[in-house]
PDB file of all heavy atoms in Angstrom:
ATOM      1  N   LYS A 225      14.116  20.432  -5.520  1.00 94.00           N
ATOM      2  CA  LYS A 225      13.426  19.518  -6.357  1.00 94.00           C
ATOM      3  C   LYS A 225      11.960  19.841  -6.283  1.00 94.00           C
ATOM      4  O   LYS A 225      11.338  19.703  -5.258  1.00 94.00           O
ATOM      5  CB  LYS A 225      13.628  18.001  -5.943  1.00 94.00           C
ATOM      6  CG  LYS A 225      15.050  17.573  -6.193  1.00 94.00           C
ATOM      7  CD  LYS A 225      15.229  16.162  -5.726  1.00 94.00           C
ATOM      8  CE  LYS A 225      15.632  16.163  -4.273  1.00 94.00           C
ATOM      9  NZ  LYS A 225      15.932  14.901  -3.731  1.00 94.00           N
ATOM     10  N   ASP A 231      -2.885  20.962 -15.658  1.00 92.00           N
ATOM     11  CA  ASP A 231      -3.418  20.348 -16.795  1.00 92.00           C
ATOM     12  C   ASP A 231      -3.278  21.222 -18.017  1.00 92.00           C
ATOM     13  O   ASP A 231      -3.549  20.783 -19.197  1.00 92.00           O
ATOM     14  CB  ASP A 231      -4.933  19.956 -16.594  1.00 92.00           C
ATOM     15  CG  ASP A 231      -5.788  21.127 -16.318  1.00 92.00           C
ATOM     16  OD1 ASP A 231      -5.468  21.915 -15.399  1.00 92.00           O
ATOM     17  OD2 ASP A 231      -6.806  21.222 -16.933  1.00 92.00           O
ATOM     18  N   LEU A 236       2.183  25.002 -17.887  1.00 93.00           N
ATOM     19  CA  LEU A 236       3.150  24.014 -17.221  1.00 93.00           C
ATOM     20  C   LEU A 236       4.518  24.218 -17.761  1.00 93.00           C
ATOM     21  O   LEU A 236       5.489  24.340 -17.028  1.00 93.00           O
ATOM     22  CB  LEU A 236       2.580  22.680 -17.387  1.00 93.00           C
ATOM     23  CG  LEU A 236       3.357  21.525 -16.725  1.00 93.00           C
ATOM     24  CD1 LEU A 236       3.187  21.624 -15.248  1.00 93.00           C
ATOM     25  CD2 LEU A 236       2.798  20.205 -17.163  1.00 93.00           C
ATOM     26  N   ALA A 245      15.384  27.846 -15.093  1.00 93.00           N
ATOM     27  CA  ALA A 245      16.325  28.956 -15.347  1.00 93.00           C
ATOM     28  C   ALA A 245      16.811  29.523 -14.008  1.00 93.00           C
ATOM     29  O   ALA A 245      17.845  30.100 -13.956  1.00 93.00           O
ATOM     30  CB  ALA A 245      15.615  30.041 -16.132  1.00 93.00           C
ATOM     31  N   ARG A 246      16.066  29.233 -12.908  1.00 92.00           N
ATOM     32  CA  ARG A 246      16.513  29.721 -11.576  1.00 92.00           C
ATOM     33  C   ARG A 246      17.212  28.515 -10.872  1.00 92.00           C
ATOM     34  O   ARG A 246      17.400  28.607  -9.714  1.00 92.00           O
ATOM     35  CB  ARG A 246      15.258  30.098 -10.812  1.00 92.00           C
ATOM     36  CG  ARG A 246      14.750  31.476 -11.235  1.00 92.00           C
ATOM     37  CD  ARG A 246      13.365  31.789 -10.784  1.00 92.00           C
ATOM     38  NE  ARG A 246      13.030  33.118 -11.097  1.00 92.00           N
ATOM     39  CZ  ARG A 246      12.812  33.670 -12.316  1.00 92.00           C
ATOM     40  NH1 ARG A 246      12.824  32.802 -13.350  1.00 92.00           N
ATOM     41  NH2 ARG A 246      12.486  34.951 -12.555  1.00 92.00           N
ATOM     42  N   ASP A 249      15.452  21.851  -9.993  1.00 96.00           N
ATOM     43  CA  ASP A 249      15.295  20.532 -10.640  1.00 96.00           C
ATOM     44  C   ASP A 249      13.769  20.321 -10.737  1.00 96.00           C
ATOM     45  O   ASP A 249      13.101  19.997  -9.734  1.00 96.00           O
ATOM     46  CB  ASP A 249      15.959  19.424  -9.753  1.00 96.00           C
ATOM     47  CG  ASP A 249      15.775  18.043 -10.293  1.00 96.00           C
ATOM     48  OD1 ASP A 249      15.139  17.879 -11.403  1.00 96.00           O
ATOM     49  OD2 ASP A 249      16.232  17.134  -9.603  1.00 96.00           O
ATOM     50  N   GLU A 258      -1.212  11.336 -12.298  1.00 95.00           N
ATOM     51  CA  GLU A 258       0.212  11.220 -12.613  1.00 95.00           C
ATOM     52  C   GLU A 258       1.115  11.738 -11.503  1.00 95.00           C
ATOM     53  O   GLU A 258       2.079  11.215 -11.031  1.00 95.00           O
ATOM     54  CB  GLU A 258       0.516  11.991 -13.954  1.00 95.00           C
ATOM     55  CG  GLU A 258       1.960  11.951 -14.373  1.00 95.00           C
ATOM     56  CD  GLU A 258       2.136  12.827 -15.597  1.00 95.00           C
ATOM     57  OE1 GLU A 258       1.221  13.525 -16.130  1.00 95.00           O
ATOM     58  OE2 GLU A 258       3.349  12.896 -16.002  1.00 95.00           O
ATOM     59  N   PHE A 268      10.135  15.272  -3.230  1.00 94.00           N
ATOM     60  CA  PHE A 268      10.240  16.629  -3.764  1.00 94.00           C
ATOM     61  C   PHE A 268      10.249  17.615  -2.593  1.00 94.00           C
ATOM     62  O   PHE A 268       9.609  17.416  -1.582  1.00 94.00           O
ATOM     63  CB  PHE A 268       8.991  16.964  -4.677  1.00 94.00           C
ATOM     64  CG  PHE A 268       8.786  16.106  -5.867  1.00 94.00           C
ATOM     65  CD1 PHE A 268       8.065  14.938  -5.894  1.00 94.00           C
ATOM     66  CD2 PHE A 268       9.582  16.423  -7.037  1.00 94.00           C
ATOM     67  CE1 PHE A 268       7.949  14.221  -7.014  1.00 94.00           C
ATOM     68  CE2 PHE A 268       9.490  15.646  -8.191  1.00 94.00           C
ATOM     69  CZ  PHE A 268       8.656  14.434  -8.111  1.00 94.00           C
ATOM     70  N   LEU A 273       0.833  22.925  -7.131  1.00 94.00           N
ATOM     71  CA  LEU A 273      -0.357  22.203  -7.584  1.00 94.00           C
ATOM     72  C   LEU A 273      -1.502  23.087  -8.008  1.00 94.00           C
ATOM     73  O   LEU A 273      -1.931  23.987  -7.227  1.00 94.00           O
ATOM     74  CB  LEU A 273      -0.823  21.340  -6.381  1.00 94.00           C
ATOM     75  CG  LEU A 273      -2.100  20.538  -6.502  1.00 94.00           C
ATOM     76  CD1 LEU A 273      -1.947  19.430  -7.583  1.00 94.00           C
ATOM     77  CD2 LEU A 273      -2.480  19.918  -5.176  1.00 94.00           C
ATOM     78  N   LEU A 301      -1.944  26.552  -6.584  1.00 89.00           N
ATOM     79  CA  LEU A 301      -2.114  27.703  -7.497  1.00 89.00           C
ATOM     80  C   LEU A 301      -3.540  27.643  -7.962  1.00 89.00           C
ATOM     81  O   LEU A 301      -4.090  26.607  -8.235  1.00 89.00           O
ATOM     82  CB  LEU A 301      -1.225  27.471  -8.790  1.00 89.00           C
ATOM     83  CG  LEU A 301       0.239  27.789  -8.691  1.00 89.00           C
ATOM     84  CD1 LEU A 301       0.873  27.611 -10.047  1.00 89.00           C
ATOM     85  CD2 LEU A 301       0.453  29.190  -8.194  1.00 89.00           C
ATOM     86  N   VAL A 307     -11.250  33.558  -0.616  1.00 73.00           N
ATOM     87  CA  VAL A 307     -10.858  33.400   0.730  1.00 73.00           C
ATOM     88  C   VAL A 307     -11.248  31.953   1.227  1.00 73.00           C
ATOM     89  O   VAL A 307     -10.459  31.305   1.922  1.00 73.00           O
ATOM     90  CB  VAL A 307     -11.507  34.495   1.708  1.00 73.00           C
ATOM     91  CG1 VAL A 307     -11.130  34.145   3.174  1.00 73.00           C
ATOM     92  CG2 VAL A 307     -10.912  35.889   1.252  1.00 73.00           C
ATOM     93  N   MET A 319       0.864  24.528   2.171  1.00 90.00           N
ATOM     94  CA  MET A 319       1.854  25.499   2.777  1.00 90.00           C
ATOM     95  C   MET A 319       1.379  26.893   2.369  1.00 90.00           C
ATOM     96  O   MET A 319       1.551  27.845   3.143  1.00 90.00           O
ATOM     97  CB  MET A 319       3.193  25.242   2.179  1.00 90.00           C
ATOM     98  CG  MET A 319       4.265  26.048   2.865  1.00 90.00           C
ATOM     99  SD  MET A 319       5.817  25.940   1.904  1.00 90.00           S
ATOM    100  CE  MET A 319       6.140  27.684   1.782  1.00 90.00           C
ATOM    101  N   VAL A 322      -1.836  30.563  -3.825  1.00 86.00           N
ATOM    102  CA  VAL A 322      -1.501  31.734  -4.564  1.00 86.00           C
ATOM    103  C   VAL A 322      -2.260  31.851  -5.915  1.00 86.00           C
ATOM    104  O   VAL A 322      -2.604  30.775  -6.410  1.00 86.00           O
ATOM    105  CB  VAL A 322       0.044  31.970  -4.728  1.00 86.00           C
ATOM    106  CG1 VAL A 322       0.747  32.097  -3.430  1.00 86.00           C
ATOM    107  CG2 VAL A 322       0.560  30.744  -5.539  1.00 86.00           C
ATOM    108  N   GLU A 323      -2.464  33.015  -6.415  1.00 83.00           N
ATOM    109  CA  GLU A 323      -2.998  33.173  -7.744  1.00 83.00           C
ATOM    110  C   GLU A 323      -2.043  32.684  -8.814  1.00 83.00           C
ATOM    111  O   GLU A 323      -0.823  32.959  -8.684  1.00 83.00           O
ATOM    112  CB  GLU A 323      -3.356  34.698  -7.977  1.00 83.00           C
ATOM    113  CG  GLU A 323      -4.463  35.142  -7.112  1.00 83.00           C
ATOM    114  CD  GLU A 323      -5.780  35.329  -7.857  1.00 83.00           C
ATOM    115  OE1 GLU A 323      -5.855  34.783  -9.086  1.00 83.00           O
ATOM    116  OE2 GLU A 323      -6.714  35.894  -7.312  1.00 83.00           O
ATOM    117  N   GLU A 337      11.204  28.457   0.594  1.00 89.00           N
ATOM    118  CA  GLU A 337      10.681  28.310   1.997  1.00 89.00           C
ATOM    119  C   GLU A 337      10.197  26.875   2.193  1.00 89.00           C
ATOM    120  O   GLU A 337      10.444  26.352   3.258  1.00 89.00           O
ATOM    121  CB  GLU A 337       9.480  29.257   2.208  1.00 89.00           C
ATOM    122  CG  GLU A 337       9.882  30.694   2.345  1.00 89.00           C
ATOM    123  CD  GLU A 337       8.685  31.629   2.400  1.00 89.00           C
ATOM    124  OE1 GLU A 337       7.521  31.222   2.835  1.00 89.00           O
ATOM    125  OE2 GLU A 337       8.778  32.831   1.934  1.00 89.00           O
ATOM    126  N   ILE A 345      11.803  19.682   9.152  1.00 87.00           N
ATOM    127  CA  ILE A 345      10.888  18.545   9.509  1.00 87.00           C
ATOM    128  C   ILE A 345      11.810  17.278   9.512  1.00 87.00           C
ATOM    129  O   ILE A 345      11.695  16.470  10.418  1.00 87.00           O
ATOM    130  CB  ILE A 345       9.727  18.422   8.610  1.00 87.00           C
ATOM    131  CG1 ILE A 345       8.735  19.580   8.841  1.00 87.00           C
ATOM    132  CG2 ILE A 345       8.932  17.073   8.822  1.00 87.00           C
ATOM    133  CD1 ILE A 345       7.633  19.725   7.792  1.00 87.00           C
ATOM    134  N   ALA A 346      12.576  17.066   8.409  1.00 86.00           N
ATOM    135  CA  ALA A 346      13.420  15.874   8.377  1.00 86.00           C
ATOM    136  C   ALA A 346      14.384  15.824   9.517  1.00 86.00           C
ATOM    137  O   ALA A 346      14.656  14.777  10.106  1.00 86.00           O
ATOM    138  CB  ALA A 346      14.114  15.785   7.029  1.00 86.00           C
ATOM    139  N   GLU A 352      14.276  12.876  16.716  1.00 91.00           N
ATOM    140  CA  GLU A 352      13.333  12.059  17.479  1.00 91.00           C
ATOM    141  C   GLU A 352      13.651  10.532  17.432  1.00 91.00           C
ATOM    142  O   GLU A 352      13.604   9.873  18.460  1.00 91.00           O
ATOM    143  CB  GLU A 352      11.924  12.287  17.011  1.00 91.00           C
ATOM    144  CG  GLU A 352      11.363  13.684  17.357  1.00 91.00           C
ATOM    145  CD  GLU A 352      10.030  13.953  16.676  1.00 91.00           C
ATOM    146  OE1 GLU A 352       9.453  13.036  16.006  1.00 91.00           O
ATOM    147  OE2 GLU A 352       9.462  15.040  16.879  1.00 91.00           O
ATOM    148  N   GLY A 362      19.032   2.571  26.596  1.00 76.00           N
ATOM    149  CA  GLY A 362      19.465   2.974  27.965  1.00 76.00           C
ATOM    150  C   GLY A 362      20.809   3.671  28.009  1.00 76.00           C
ATOM    151  O   GLY A 362      21.449   3.576  29.039  1.00 76.00           O
TER     152      GLY A 362
END
Side-chain angles (χ1 to χ4, degrees):
K225 289 184 272 182
D231 61 311
L236 183 68
R246 284 163 174 73
D249 176 5
E258 180 185 2
F268 296 96
L273 175 66
L301 284 182
V307 173
M319 187 193 132
V322 297
E323 289 257 12
E337 286 172 29
I345 291 169
E352 289 171 3

